[in-house]
Amino acid sequence: MKKMILIMVMLGTLHTLAQHNFSNGYVVLDNINEPSLSAPNLGNTTGQERGIAYRSGTPDIIYVARGGTSTGDGRPGGVVGIAAIKLTAYGSSDYTDTGLLVSGGTPANFSFIQAIFYEPVLDKVWVLDGSGSSARVWYFDGGAVGGSPSGGGTAVTATATGITHLFQASNATSLGGGGRGLAVRVSGSTVTVALGMGSHLEVWESTTGLAGTYSQKFESSNDLDGAGSLCTALGTTSSSVRDVTFDENGDIWVVNAGGGNRSVFRFPFTSSGTGVIAGDAIALPSGSFDNTGGGANVNSFKIYVENTTVYALAGLRQSSPSTANNSGIVRFRRNGAAGTYSFTALDGFGVGITNTSLENSDAIMGSLQYKANAVASPTIISQPSGGTQALMYMSMPYSSSSTLQLSSRKFYVNAFVINTLKAQTVPTSAAIEVLLPPLNTFTKITDNSSSSFSPGSTNNLLLAFIGSTSRSAITVNSFRFNRTGGSTATDSEVDAVKVWEDANANNTFESGIDNLRGSGTMSSGVSTITLTGVTLTTSSKTFFVTVDVNPAAIGTLGLQLSTANVVTATKTDNTGTVENTGQSPLPVELSSFTSTVSGQAVNLSWSTATEVDNYGFEVQKSENQSDWSTIGFVHGSGNSNSNKQYAYTDQQAGFGTIYYRLKQIDNAGTFKVYDPITVEVEIPKDFTLSQNYPNPFNPATTINYTLPTAGGVTLQVYSMNGELVQTLVQKYQAAGSYSVTFDASGLASGTYAYRLITTGADGQTQSALKKMLLMK
């Protein structure tokens, strides 16, 4: 008599130890528009930042589109440009702001900058600027920096080297809507430019290289030559085309940020010169870790390829401003083929991604906010004007714009931050470098859930799955399966569960040909299978799982891959730990961690004896050793057998007892938190105004002062004729030590005076006056 066994197998996707969370590997590269006391004065902008572009080189550079004009942020009045920031230290900062890049007035200065993109093959930064029917496309040389290449003179502008105005966009329909996007693909002598124009998609192309003639191939809302079909997927009145990206096939994807349904659309692009109907319209799925909501808007969307697997990163936010903190970037794996694509949510980054409050306890990540008009619960400040997303725009380190392979395991985000840990006008813009954790994935391709087996039969196929790794190689040691809750079969009814390796790569189970790599029995509903000779490399490998059925088998057997410690493996390269192994963080031997106090500044120093895969250190701060916040990040040395020295300065530490600790992060996102140190910072006893430094100076100098009590503070600069030149400070300040940068780029050489006046709660005033010399 035949017995029926219903096999129900569920197979998940594996993640890093810090599951569903990138926050263990990210760096806030300081606030782009912030007058940080530990960095060059970048100012406070009221313009709408519209993008970020990362260029790998010596040094690495990030370019940030400064949107429209603004004042009071250290740039010349009325000048629109792109911030060029070298990822090298300037003083105690993690970057060097070189000032603004402009188009030099020929044919015209940049208008409102809508989007930027870096293309590595041509080594060019591309720019979409303008408004209405005047949108234009430019490029300039990668590696270009502002007028202060050594940093510290952020008001200095420079004409971008190699700046070229390519073509006028929107010759049929104007740029409109609420978001913008730009992507460039180079394949041989063909250069294709995709423009997310807010209300529609446009595609332009040159088949004769960078300097060739660009013609418009199609746009999504209007068929220019009448030979094609109108695209109705987005609608002709859409106002939500906020980002655009190419995939590895040259097809174009756009996001519909106004739909509230996580919508992305694929346009199968060919150089046909006709309108094209969207080939896929997909609602990105939610993951259990994703709190941005099933109806979230998509603000940014990037695709990359690792080995043969295609991934996507989507910047998501809930559509309601009342859910301000639910904003995150989710990583998806793309499945299937064109026309039948689907996506699987894997992990993510941001305050909308849950991971046992690891992220939400982080003060900087917790300050990322969705911006809209000011509302209550929580209060949201309108900056920039209108609604946009906290995690706004992304830039990937592509090694090629046609293959979409990455040159490094990180990406960059332009975000809006409300960070009260720093002296700034909030909210403001920040560049964030995010470590992209490696993945080992095991994807189900066959599930024989309706198979029946004869009693005593062997090697009955349960399922097949593909295993792959983003590392050069890992050795897989074991798999573990659990009996599902709905199973009625007993352990004794399953003689063996086996794992086989597809020997001839034909994705077909052949018991006489395929290699048996391990076999296990079931005990208490669990079968752990120890494997031999299984190595995963960048090439995917197919596995088969079979069951041997006992003659007494009855009922239903359901198996699933265990959700914890699913696969144990060991790495054979040096690119990070292996997921789901329960391993401790990679070794970093901390030799010392000390501090010194200078006024209100706390200088932290530490050293390591050895390092393995050390991504870097988060510097964390607390007043009670319970509530810790991350105040900075210092990059590690990767792998080292020699002593390495590190330092970080908390310029506005506060007063009293303060605790600091280090959180070391490796290249796979695993981490270790070291014991804290205690620092005592005393309140200043005297009212002082220090001599500026340097003096003489050109063009910027620093002025320090101390306040023994709180009160109204005014710090102003005068000419020797008594004329007011600039007000540096005019606000209420707590007792403490302060540092202000005075930038005299627009002033003539000569002697100037600066005066500090304070008014205490009792109405008593104190003042001090000093001179300084500007020499150009």
Side-chain angles (χ1 to χ4, degrees):
M1 178 178 178
K2 292 185 177 181
K3 306 294 184 182
M4 180 76 72
I5 299 180
L6 178 62
I7 306 297
M8 301 179 296
V9 183
M10 295 171 14
L11 187 62
T13 299
L14 307 187
H15 310 286
T16 60
L17 284 171
Q19 200 166 12
H20 309 319
N21 179 20
F22 290 1
S23 73
N24 293 324
Y26 77 93
V27 187
V28 177
L29 296 170
D30 221 325
N31 295 328
I32 292 167
N33 303 313
E34 171 211 348
S36 170
L37 299 179
S38 62
N41 180 8
L42 297 177
N44 306 296
T45 188
T46 58
Q48 296 182 335
E49 279 67 25
R50 287 293 195 185
I52 186 169
Y54 167 75
R55 188 247 189 192
S56 176
T58 307
D60 293 349
I61 296 177
I62 54 172
Y63 298 96
V64 181
R66 284 292 189 91
T69 60
S70 64
T71 58
D73 65 349
R75 77 176 89 170
V79 175
V80 178
I82 294 173
I85 300 172
K86 296 192 294 186
L87 299 186
T88 55
Y90 177 83
S92 59
S93 173
D94 291 329
Y95 62 87
T96 300
D97 181 8
T98 69
L100 292 179
L101 287 170
V102 298
S103 54
T106 305
N109 263 330
F110 287 136
S111 180
F112 193 109
I113 297 175
Q114 304 287 356
I116 56 177
F117 182 85
Y118 174 71
E119 202 292 309
V121 174
L122 300 175
D123 192 21
K124 302 297 180 184
V125 180
W126 296 71
V127 181
L128 170 65
D129 81 330
S131 60
S133 60
S134 63
R136 302 169 297 182
V137 173
W138 312 68
Y139 68 78
F140 62 85
D141 294 339
V145 294
S148 181
S150 298
T154 60
V156 182
T157 61
T159 301
T161 57
I163 184 73
T164 301
H165 175 212
L166 273 187
F167 59 86
Q168 178 88 24
S170 292
N171 61 348
T173 54
S174 297
L175 182 148
R180 312 288 183 263
L182 169 66
V184 179
R185 186 175 192 265
V186 176
S187 179
S189 61
T190 299
V191 181
T192 308
V193 182
L195 304 175
M197 301 291 283
S199 59
H200 64 287
L201 166 70
E202 289 187 14
V203 184
W204 295 70
E205 192 171 77
S206 165
T207 58
T208 55
L210 178 65
T213 300
Y214 289 79
S215 60
Q216 187 175 15
K217 294 304 176 181
F218 73 83
E219 59 181 338
S220 61
S221 61
N222 188 14
D223 177 16
L224 294 180
D225 63 9
S229 301
L230 294 177
C231 171
T232 58
L234 299 175
T236 58
T237 60
S238 173
S239 61
S240 303
V241 183
R242 288 200 170 172
D243 202 8
V244 59
T245 190
F246 287 94
D247 67 15
E248 79 287 3
N249 300 315
D251 292 342
I252 299 166
W253 295 73
V254 301
V255 301
N256 181 10
N261 58 356
R262 306 167 74 99
S263 299
V264 296
F265 299 88
R266 179 185 66 91
F267 290 83
F269 174 67
T270 58
S271 302
S272 60
T274 64
V276 177
I277 298 175
D280 289 279
I282 299 171
L284 295 174
S286 297
S288 60
F289 54 88
D290 175 6
N291 289 334
T292 60
N297 291 325
V298 186
N299 195 79
S300 52
F301 189 70
K302 300 299 177 189
I303 290 174
Y304 72 95
V305 179
E306 196 162 61
N307 305 326
T308 59
T309 305
V310 179
Y311 298 96
L313 295 176
L316 298 163
R317 64 170 173 85
Q318 288 186 332
S319 58
S320 171
S322 63
T323 53
N325 285 332
N326 287 352
S327 174
I329 293 174
V330 176
R331 173 161 54 174
F332 300 88
R333 183 182 63 251
R334 196 187 70 188
N335 314 305
T340 59
Y341 283 134
S342 64
F343 289 86
T344 301
L346 301 178
D347 51 9
F349 166 78
V351 292
I353 309 301
T354 299
N355 183 31
T356 62
S357 74
L358 281 175
E359 274 181 350
N360 294 331
S361 66
D362 186 294
I364 296 179
M365 286 307 301
S367 70
L368 293 174
Q369 298 263 336
Y370 162 58
K371 300 297 173 293
N373 293 329
V375 298
S377 301
T379 299
I380 305 172
I381 305 170
S382 178
Q383 206 282 352
S385 60
T388 189
Q389 180 187 349
L391 295 166
M392 289 180 59
Y393 299 103
M394 291 184 286
S395 180
M396 308 298 295
Y398 293 126
S399 58
S400 166
S401 60
S402 59
T403 66
L404 301 186
Q405 299 283 343
L406 300 183
S407 61
S408 61
R409 300 201 59 82
K410 56 189 175 183
F411 64 98
Y412 292 84
V413 182
N414 184 17
F416 281 98
V417 174
I418 297 176
N419 179 6
T420 57
L421 298 175
K422 293 180 176 290
Q424 65 184 48
T425 300
V426 296
T428 189
S429 181
I432 302 178
E433 176 188 278
V434 186
L435 180 69
L436 195 60
L439 286 172
N440 298 335
T441 60
F442 296 85
T443 307
K444 181 174 63 178
I445 57 176
T446 300
D447 184 354
N448 291 344
S449 59
S450 60
S451 297
S452 61
F453 306 115
S454 300
S457 61
T458 59
N459 298 336
N460 299 283
L461 179 64
L462 295 186
L463 77 160
F465 61 91
I466 294 177
S468 63
T469 179
S470 58
R471 300 185 174 89
S472 61
I474 62 171
T475 299
V476 184
N477 301 318
S478 68
F479 289 105
R480 189 173 74 177
F481 296 90
N482 287 351
R483 189 171 59 225
T484 62
S487 175
T488 60
T490 64
D491 292 343
S492 62
E493 293 173 338
V494 178
D495 286 339
V497 179
K498 302 175 184 177
V499 174
W500 308 71
E501 179 186 337
D502 189 3
N504 52 10
N506 66 351
N507 290 326
T508 301
F509 175 61
E510 300 159 300
S511 60
I513 298 176
D514 293 329
N515 301 315
L516 178 63
R517 293 306 188 188
S519 178
T521 58
M522 297 199 72
S523 176
S524 301
V526 177
S527 178
T528 300
I529 302 173
T530 300
L531 305 177
T532 58
V534 176
T535 300
L536 288 183
T537 65
T538 54
S539 299
S540 299
K541 184 172 293 186
T542 301
F543 297 90
F544 302 102
V545 180
T546 65
V547 61
D548 291 358
V549 183
N550 189 285
I554 57 173
T556 299
L557 174 64
L559 291 182
Q560 65 181 9
L561 202 61
S562 171
T563 57
N565 296 321
V566 181
V567 177
T568 60
T570 55
K571 65 185 179 67
T572 55
D573 64 0
N574 199 29
T575 58
T577 60
V578 176
E579 293 84 353
N580 295 298
T581 63
Q583 292 181 352
S584 60
L586 290 176
V588 170
E589 184 180 351
L590 192 67
S591 302
S592 65
F593 183 28
T594 60
S595 67
T596 59
V597 178
S598 177
Q600 197 178 344
V602 174
N603 303 303
L604 302 172
S605 301
W606 64 98
S607 62
T608 62
T610 59
E611 298 183 21
V612 178
D613 282 359
N614 183 19
Y615 178 63
F617 302 89
E618 285 184 8
V619 181
Q620 299 186 342
K621 177 180 179 180
S622 175
E623 295 180 355
N624 54 20
Q625 296 198 73
S626 297
D627 302 317
W628 291 92
S629 60
T630 298
I631 61 171
F633 184 90
V634 178
H635 280 284
S637 300
N639 299 292
S640 172
N641 290 319
S642 62
N643 185 268
K644 299 296 181 182
Q645 304 291 329
Y646 299 95
Y648 180 85
T649 298
D650 183 5
Q651 294 284 3
Q652 294 292 315
F655 300 102
T657 302
I658 305 171
Y659 304 94
Y660 295 92
R661 70 183 187 184
L662 298 174
K663 177 180 177 181
Q664 181 269 324
I665 304 162
D666 67 31
N667 285 327
T670 55
F671 63 91
K672 177 179 181 180
V673 178
Y674 291 92
D675 293 336
I677 60 174
T678 304
V679 179
E680 298 289 341
V681 182
E682 295 184 356
I683 298 176
K685 296 181 175 62
D686 300 311
F687 170 82
T688 63
L689 176 64
S690 300
Q691 186 64 52
N692 64 298
Y693 180 82
N695 188 42
F697 67 97
N698 177 32
T701 189
T702 300
I703 301 171
N704 297 316
Y705 58 92
T706 62
L707 306 175
T709 59
V713 179
T714 301
L715 177 61
Q716 294 176 317
V717 179
Y718 294 88
S719 70
M720 295 312 293
N721 295 326
E723 297 176 345
L724 177 63
V725 173
Q726 187 174 342
T727 297
L728 301 178
V729 177
Q730 193 167 36
K731 61 183 177 180
Y732 180 90
Q733 289 185 317
S737 301
Y738 293 92
S739 180
V740 177
T741 298
F742 171 52
D743 192 324
S745 300
L747 300 177
S749 297
T751 301
Y752 294 84
Y754 57 101
R755 183 174 64 180
L756 177 69
I757 301 176
T758 68
T759 303
D762 58 1
Q764 297 297 313
T765 64
Q766 298 185 81
S767 66
L769 178 72
K770 290 185 180 294
K771 295 180 181 180
M772 56 185 170
L773 179 60
L774 172 63
M775 295 181 62
K776 292 190 173 181

